[in-house]
Amino acid sequence: MGIPAASRRRPSEGAGVVPKVRVVLRLGELGLVATEAVDAGQAILLLDGVLSPTPTRESVQIGPALHVGIPPELPAADRQRRYLWRFLNHSCQPSARVVGDLVVAIDRVEAGGDVTFDYQTTEIELSNPFQCQCGHCGGAWIRGFRHLSAEEQLRRAPWLADHLRRAMPVGEG
Ligand SMILES: [Zn+2]
């Protein structure tokens, strides 16, 4: 309750995190790679932007009914420069996970390594489901955590965002 329809994010301990990524074009898709080696558990970048109780095509869920998105009035060039996290691709074998409003390395990511996360570890329900092209899952439909089988939910347990872990007991989906 009490979350305005759109509000600037509050300051957090992650505010000083310098992004360790850059945007690359690979096989026709924009994505992020690490600009330096990042150890397991270290922050890679901050999910900053506009907070909303409802998801959008680009938003990432960071809390119960709390989604971080990009200010809609922003010119395209500024979106790319300012909100690098918008280029985080989904993978079913991700290199990073979302902890609070930070993107954190799961295992050590080498410089130039892909930075991806599993959208189904933050989103209960995707606003725009899509067929996965991560190369690990054989083209699964990515629709959100609640659509996964109990087995698939359990496999993701170590990387689940806190809000999702609390909102939906693993294995009961
Ligand atoms: Zn996949």
Side-chain angles (χ1 to χ4, degrees):
M1 312 315 101
I3 300 163
S7 62
R8 301 290 157 176
R9 69 178 310 286
R10 70 237 174 271
S12 90
E13 63 265 36
V17 172
V18 177
K20 301 182 178 75
V21 288
R22 65 187 171 85
V23 179
V24 293
L25 182 64
R26 197 175 276 173
L27 301 173
E29 287 278 333
L30 291 171
L32 295 182
V33 296
T35 50
E36 59 187 88
V38 185
D39 284 330
Q42 295 285 298
I44 299 174
L45 76 165
L46 173 68
L47 297 167
D48 61 345
V50 175
L51 297 178
S52 167
T54 53
T56 64
R57 189 183 176 84
E58 296 176 322
S59 65
V60 176
Q61 188 168 2
I62 59 170
L66 189 61
H67 305 262
V68 61
I70 298 167
E73 72 277 10
L74 215 60
D78 290 339
R79 297 164 77 85
Q80 174 151 349
R81 200 163 38 233
R82 174 74 180 77
Y83 296 97
L84 290 174
W85 61 260
R86 181 253 174 279
F87 299 100
L88 277 166
N89 285 328
H90 164 87
S91 175
C92 297
Q93 298 275 332
S95 61
R97 57 181 291 224
V98 172
V99 180
D101 55 7
L102 290 173
V103 177
V104 170
I106 292 174
D107 293 313
R108 180 180 164 90
V109 179
E110 300 297 340
D114 288 324
V115 177
T116 57
F117 80 102
D118 184 339
Y119 291 1
Q120 295 175 120
T121 61
T122 59
E123 312 300 307
I124 292 173
E125 185 83 52
L126 253 71
S127 63
N128 291 79
F130 62 95
Q131 192 165 17
C132 190
Q133 299 182 344
C134 77
H136 299 286
C137 65
W141 275 91
I142 307 303
R143 295 181 294 168
F145 184 74
R146 76 182 197 86
H147 296 283
L148 295 170
S149 68
E151 186 185 342
E152 291 170 322
Q153 291 184 351
L154 275 171
R155 185 173 82 75
R156 287 163 174 83
W159 308 292
L160 282 184
D162 286 345
H163 67 272
L164 218 159
R165 199 190 306 266
R166 285 195 303 267
M168 193 168 296
V170 167
E172 289 181 14

Short mmCIF file of all heavy atoms in Angstrom, two decimals, residues 90-93 132-140 142, ligand 1:
data_model
loop_
_atom_site.label_atom_id
_atom_site.label_comp_id
_atom_site.label_asym_id
_atom_site.label_seq_id
_atom_site.Cartn_x
_atom_site.Cartn_y
_atom_site.Cartn_z
N HIS A 90 17.38 -12.62 -20.66
CA HIS A 90 17.00 -13.80 -19.89
C HIS A 90 17.88 -14.98 -20.28
O HIS A 90 18.24 -15.15 -21.45
CB HIS A 90 15.54 -14.16 -20.16
CG HIS A 90 15.20 -15.55 -19.72
ND1 HIS A 90 14.81 -15.83 -18.42
CD2 HIS A 90 15.26 -16.73 -20.37
CE1 HIS A 90 14.62 -17.14 -18.31
NE2 HIS A 90 14.88 -17.71 -19.48
N SER A 91 18.22 -15.82 -19.32
CA SER A 91 18.80 -17.13 -19.62
C SER A 91 18.30 -18.13 -18.59
O SER A 91 18.11 -17.78 -17.42
CB SER A 91 20.33 -17.08 -19.59
OG SER A 91 20.85 -18.40 -19.76
N CYS A 92 18.12 -19.37 -19.04
CA CYS A 92 17.73 -20.44 -18.11
C CYS A 92 18.97 -20.97 -17.37
O CYS A 92 18.84 -21.75 -16.43
CB CYS A 92 17.01 -21.56 -18.85
SG CYS A 92 15.46 -20.99 -19.60
N GLN A 93 20.18 -20.59 -17.83
CA GLN A 93 21.44 -20.87 -17.12
C GLN A 93 22.13 -19.52 -16.89
O GLN A 93 23.14 -19.22 -17.51
CB GLN A 93 22.34 -21.78 -17.95
CG GLN A 93 21.76 -23.15 -18.24
CD GLN A 93 22.01 -24.12 -17.10
OE1 GLN A 93 22.99 -24.00 -16.38
NE2 GLN A 93 21.12 -25.08 -16.93
N CYS A 132 12.04 -18.85 -25.27
CA CYS A 132 13.43 -18.65 -24.88
C CYS A 132 14.40 -19.06 -25.98
O CYS A 132 14.19 -20.06 -26.66
CB CYS A 132 13.72 -19.45 -23.61
SG CYS A 132 15.31 -19.03 -22.89
N GLN A 133 15.48 -18.28 -26.12
CA GLN A 133 16.53 -18.60 -27.08
C GLN A 133 17.88 -18.67 -26.37
O GLN A 133 18.91 -18.35 -26.95
CB GLN A 133 16.56 -17.54 -28.19
CG GLN A 133 15.26 -17.49 -28.97
CD GLN A 133 15.28 -16.49 -30.10
OE1 GLN A 133 16.14 -15.62 -30.16
NE2 GLN A 133 14.33 -16.61 -31.01
N CYS A 134 17.86 -19.05 -25.10
CA CYS A 134 19.11 -19.04 -24.33
C CYS A 134 20.05 -20.16 -24.74
O CYS A 134 21.24 -20.11 -24.43
CB CYS A 134 18.81 -19.11 -22.83
SG CYS A 134 18.35 -20.75 -22.22
N GLY A 135 19.53 -21.17 -25.44
CA GLY A 135 20.40 -22.26 -25.88
C GLY A 135 20.54 -23.39 -24.88
O GLY A 135 21.20 -24.39 -25.15
N HIS A 136 19.92 -23.24 -23.71
CA HIS A 136 20.05 -24.28 -22.68
C HIS A 136 18.76 -25.07 -22.46
O HIS A 136 18.79 -26.14 -21.89
CB HIS A 136 20.46 -23.65 -21.34
CG HIS A 136 21.76 -22.93 -21.39
ND1 HIS A 136 22.97 -23.59 -21.45
CD2 HIS A 136 22.06 -21.61 -21.40
CE1 HIS A 136 23.96 -22.71 -21.49
NE2 HIS A 136 23.43 -21.50 -21.47
N CYS A 137 17.64 -24.51 -22.86
CA CYS A 137 16.35 -25.09 -22.45
C CYS A 137 15.57 -25.68 -23.61
O CYS A 137 14.49 -26.23 -23.40
CB CYS A 137 15.51 -24.01 -21.77
SG CYS A 137 15.06 -22.67 -22.89
N GLY A 138 16.07 -25.55 -24.82
CA GLY A 138 15.33 -26.07 -25.96
C GLY A 138 14.11 -25.25 -26.34
O GLY A 138 13.18 -25.77 -26.95
N GLY A 139 14.11 -23.97 -25.97
CA GLY A 139 13.05 -23.07 -26.42
C GLY A 139 11.81 -23.07 -25.55
O GLY A 139 10.68 -23.04 -26.05
N ALA A 140 12.00 -23.08 -24.25
CA ALA A 140 10.86 -23.05 -23.32
C ALA A 140 10.12 -21.72 -23.44
O ALA A 140 10.70 -20.70 -23.80
CB ALA A 140 11.36 -23.21 -21.88
N ILE A 142 8.72 -18.63 -21.65
CA ILE A 142 9.03 -17.92 -20.42
C ILE A 142 7.82 -17.07 -20.07
O ILE A 142 7.53 -16.08 -20.75
CB ILE A 142 10.30 -17.05 -20.59
CG1 ILE A 142 11.46 -17.88 -21.13
CG2 ILE A 142 10.67 -16.38 -19.27
CD1 ILE A 142 11.84 -19.08 -20.29
ZN ZN B 1 16.07 -20.88 -21.86
#
